[in-house]
């Protein structure tokens, strides 16, 4: 996936605008120094000063775009690599998912709670989910490189309400209402919220156990002790791969290609 197409185009347009402003300012500067009405010459001087100030603002914006393009280099490589890793673990999980089912059945048969204690199975599940979550988690940062609503060095950009509102406003100001709508919808996507819950729990607290219950493997939930939830592992993994990740890639495509919509 190429991510800098739009930024290169935006930079070219700004460079052209910068040259136009300098030409216009030069014409007015000559008019200010010529003969004629004093008020007209003074107004020409004021307008020339304004145009030069606008030209400096354009230069600053070009510098931001250059920095964004520089940052997108490793980010593009990272996203492509992360996608390969996600698909690698997804394939491995499909190859060993019967192992997890067997382990759960065996635990249940021996009088246990059906806890799926199969290392390969659990490892592929958590590795897939963690890498899928990382792709989703990087989206606000990547979008900010295009929309430039927060400093690139800011650690505050993320899936906070404030960040979403800033990015949404930035997108709408560019006429990209489709991107803004999809960003807001994604932030409220139940599938994404569940992915965040499972991965953040595993990262900051503890792994979420997987149980075998009613003929299927499910993630556990806790009300003081672990019990089987209704979140089917197989259905959840497939939905993340087939629904959630394509939404992320579609937003990146909309942004990188600059697809304004009414």
């Amino acid at each position: 996936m190429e991510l800098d197409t739009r930024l290169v185009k935006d930079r070219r347009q700004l460079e052209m605008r910068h040259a136009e402003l300098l030409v216009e300012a030069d014409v007015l500067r000559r008019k200010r120094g010529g003969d004629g009405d004093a008020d007209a010459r003074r107004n020409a001087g004021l307008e020339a000063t304004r145009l030069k100030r606008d030209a400096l603002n354009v230069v600053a914006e070009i510098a931001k775009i250059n920095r964004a393009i520089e940052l997108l280099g490793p980010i593009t490589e990272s996203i492509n690599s992360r996608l390969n890793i996600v698909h690698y673990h997804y394939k491995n999980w499909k190859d060993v998912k019967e192992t997890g089912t067997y382990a759960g059945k065996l635990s249940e048969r021996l009088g246990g709670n059906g806890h799926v204690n199969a290392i390969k199975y659990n490892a592929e599940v958590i590795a897939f989910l963690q890498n899928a979550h990382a792709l989703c988690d990087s989206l606000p940062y990547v979008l900010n490189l295009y929309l430039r609503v927060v400093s690139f060095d800011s650690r505050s950009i993320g899936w906070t309400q404030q960040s979403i509102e800033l990015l949404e406003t930035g997108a709408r100001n560019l006429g990209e209402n489709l991107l803004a709508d999809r960003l807001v919808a994604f932030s409220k996507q139940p599938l994404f919220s569940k992915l965040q819950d499972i991965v953040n729990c595993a990262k900051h607290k503890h792994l979420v156990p997987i149980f075998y219950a009613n003929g299927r493997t499910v993630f556990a939930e806790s009300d003081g002790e672990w019990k089987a939830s209704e979140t089917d592992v197989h259905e959840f993994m497939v939905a993340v791969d087939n629904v959630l990740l394509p939404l992320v890639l579609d937003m990146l495509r909309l942004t990188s290609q600059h697809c304004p919509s009414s």
Side-chain angles (χ1 to χ4, degrees):
M1 175 180 289
E2 294 295 331
L3 295 179
D4 64 358
T5 305
R6 168 186 172 178
L7 290 175
V8 171
K9 181 178 178 180
D10 288 350
R11 181 177 61 187
R12 188 179 305 117
Q13 291 176 339
L14 285 173
E15 288 171 343
M16 292 172 61
R17 179 56 181 156
H18 179 254
E20 291 170 357
L21 287 169
L22 292 181
V23 170
E24 291 175 23
D26 187 58
V27 170
L28 289 169
R29 191 164 51 248
R30 293 178 184 178
K31 184 175 180 180
R32 180 190 61 183
D35 298 328
D37 182 81
D39 287 340
R41 286 189 286 113
R42 183 172 60 254
N43 289 337
L46 292 173
E47 181 65 8
T49 300
R50 184 189 68 78
L51 291 174
K52 287 178 65 177
R53 186 168 57 248
D54 288 348
L56 289 175
N57 290 336
V58 171
V59 169
E61 193 61 26
I62 291 173
K64 285 184 182 180
I65 290 178
N66 285 334
R67 179 57 176 156
I69 291 173
E70 180 184 342
L71 291 171
L72 273 175
I75 287 174
T76 303
E77 182 178 348
S78 172
I79 288 174
N80 290 331
S81 295
R82 183 84 71 174
L83 276 171
N84 289 333
I85 291 171
V86 166
H87 293 146
Y88 170 81
H89 288 297
Y90 185 73
K91 179 183 180 302
N92 286 352
W93 165 74
K94 285 171 56 175
D95 289 341
V96 300
K97 66 180 180 179
E98 293 305 321
T99 303
T101 302
Y102 176 78
K105 282 182 179 179
L106 182 61
S107 172
E108 187 179 60
R109 191 177 305 138
L110 294 176
N113 59 6
H115 186 187
V116 177
N117 187 22
I119 297 300
K120 287 184 178 180
Y121 177 86
N122 286 304
E124 297 302 343
V125 169
I126 194 61
F128 168 82
L129 294 180
Q130 284 179 333
N131 281 282
H133 179 261
L135 274 175
C136 298
D137 232 16
S138 67
L139 185 60
Y141 176 81
V142 177
L143 294 185
N144 184 51
L145 295 178
Y146 298 101
L147 303 175
R148 299 182 288 283
V149 295
V150 179
S151 168
F152 297 158
D153 297 324
S154 174
R155 292 180 177 270
S156 65
I157 194 74
W159 288 108
T160 64
Q161 188 60 40
Q162 181 182 23
S163 293
I164 294 168
E165 289 175 357
L166 286 171
L167 291 169
E168 179 191 3
T169 300
R172 294 199 190 282
N173 286 343
L174 293 174
E176 297 192 20
N177 293 318
L178 181 58
L179 173 64
D181 290 343
R182 291 189 180 180
L183 175 65
V184 173
F186 187 89
S187 71
K188 299 176 181 178
Q189 161 71 250
L191 192 59
F192 177 47
S193 297
K194 187 64 178 179
L195 177 63
Q196 284 185 308
D197 289 344
I198 293 173
V199 172
N200 285 334
C201 182
K203 184 166 59 174
H204 299 295
K205 298 176 183 177
H206 45 69
L207 293 172
V208 177
I210 296 174
F211 286 167
Y212 176 79
N214 300 318
R216 59 193 186 130
T217 53
V218 297
F219 289 105
E221 61 184 5
S222 175
D223 60 358
E225 62 180 65
W226 290 114
K227 62 181 182 179
S229 74
E230 292 300 316
T231 305
D232 183 285
V233 174
H234 174 80
E235 292 176 358
F236 186 73
M237 297 275 284
V238 170
V240 168
D241 192 60
N242 291 350
V243 177
L244 203 61
L245 294 184
L247 291 177
V248 174
L249 298 179
D250 188 50
M251 278 187 279
L252 289 174
R253 180 189 62 81
L254 283 174
T255 313
S256 63
Q257 298 300 320
H258 188 29
C259 303
S261 54
S262 58

